Amino acid sequence: MAKMAAAMVESGEDAFRKLFKFYKRRNPPPDFSDVIDFSRSLPSDKILPAALDPSAVSDEEAARVGLQPVRDWRAFGLQGYPGFLFISNPFLLGTHPFWITQCLKTYPQKPNVCNLDMHMSPSETQDIWGQSAHGLSTPAGKREPRTLLERLRWVTLGYHYNWDTKTYSADHHTAFPADLHSLSSRVTAACGFPGFNAEAGILNYYRSDSSLGIHVDESELDHSRPLLSFSFGQSSIFLLGGTRRQDPPTAMYMHSGDMMLMSGQSRLLYHAVPRILPAPEGHTASHMDPCSSVSPQQDGSVVESVSEEDWKVCTRYLQSSRVNVTVRQVLGPGQSFPETPSPLQRTDAGQTAGYHEEHGEEESGKRKRRGSCDSADAET
Ligand code: SIN
């Protein structure tokens, strides 16, 4: 347990919530000295070097989805969290723009589902990018305050997660994006999970004052398959706890391009994002790729070049935003959905807003949006 967590927490209390509020606090700002930064860390008694399987993915296969050769990835485990893996930005320089553009321009498109669909008609949410691009390429102050892209909070892919029932179902499914499927298969194969089948995805879109409530992802029917996470844009603090709320979480930074894998004993742990932080020097989208339209083009490449115009919109959006993509396999081999979805245990319903929190609601005492960590331990 980190020094600060140990000092702050008394036995039996909701240690996770306490640390969540600590890192979310603005005034005075918290002490970040206990937050692990894998981009700078060397193996220690807490940070363990992780063994990957470079033979599982050839260098060509890795490059086709925009990844460095697996032998070059900087991958770590954490003492006390078997099955947890952190990979510090394994993307090839110049490939971020493709994945970022997919997250901002392509994946929010129909037939995928997003938060805006909850209160807007399909024709209004048909072209989120087209309706936002102009606004975002115009300097702030001279434009509408909030484009549709800036109002996007979540998008679901594949088996569309139902925030109310907290289930997936056979009859709410659209094709999972083939490019993200390829990326996920390669990352999971390198991490020792050959045959992973990406079936559901949730994209979370964070503004600088957003946070994501404490939750466990347990709605997938096969928990032997890992949960995979990719992040782009601004940095965040990610809290990884235990199986109980009394277990104090470990705090770590997630920067643009970082990946995480939760499997085995770490698959069903509480986690949350209390805070978004400005990306430090060397981790910003514009730094990542000064020549955005250059991507490794080779036979069978999934990664395509991005137009300067699109990249300009992406970088403007990411100046104050972060995107996270979690990818899940829902069903085990040969498994199908039960006739009646089973009721879920560690939560209550009413998550149509996803599980984002808006800054200041807790402090101001205003009615919180449904889905915050304090009203429910959301889960997917
Ligand atoms: C993250 O945004 O890093 C986490 C997303 C999630 O837990 O669903």
Side-chain angles (χ1 to χ4, degrees), residues 14 16 20 60 116 120 170 181 184 269 302:
D14 185 341
F16 202 125
F20 182 94
E60 292 72 28
L116 303 173
M120 292 173 80
H181 193 284
S184 307
L269 299 184
V302 160

Side-chain angles (χ1 to χ4, degrees), residues 204 206 212 215 217 229 231 236 238 254 260 271 273 322 324 326 328 355:
N204 278 299
Y206 299 82
L212 188 75
H215 67 281
D217 292 274
S229 156
S231 293
S236 67
F238 181 83
M254 276 202 93
M260 277 191 302
H271 55 280
V273 178
R322 168 180 186 257
N324 174 265
T326 48
R328 303 115 195 277
Y355 28 71

Side-chain angles (χ1 to χ4, degrees), residues 156-196:
T156 54
L157 312 170
Y159 285 116
H160 298 281
Y161 185 65
N162 182 322
W163 302 94
D164 286 324
T165 61
K166 306 196 180 312
T167 57
Y168 302 97
S169 62
D171 55 10
H172 197 194
H173 177 261
T174 57
F176 190 91
D179 48 16
L180 189 55
H181 193 284
S182 299
L183 175 67
S184 307
S185 301
R186 288 178 175 123
V187 174
T188 46
C191 295
F193 294 93
F196 176 83

Side-chain angles (χ1 to χ4, degrees), residues 18 20 94 98 110 117 149 151 212 259 293 298 370:
K18 200 158 187 186
F20 182 94
F98 171 75
K110 298 281 161 289
D117 296 321
L149 197 54
R151 287 163 55 197
L212 188 75
M259 296 183 187
S293 48
Q298 49 169 287
R370 291 193 299 179

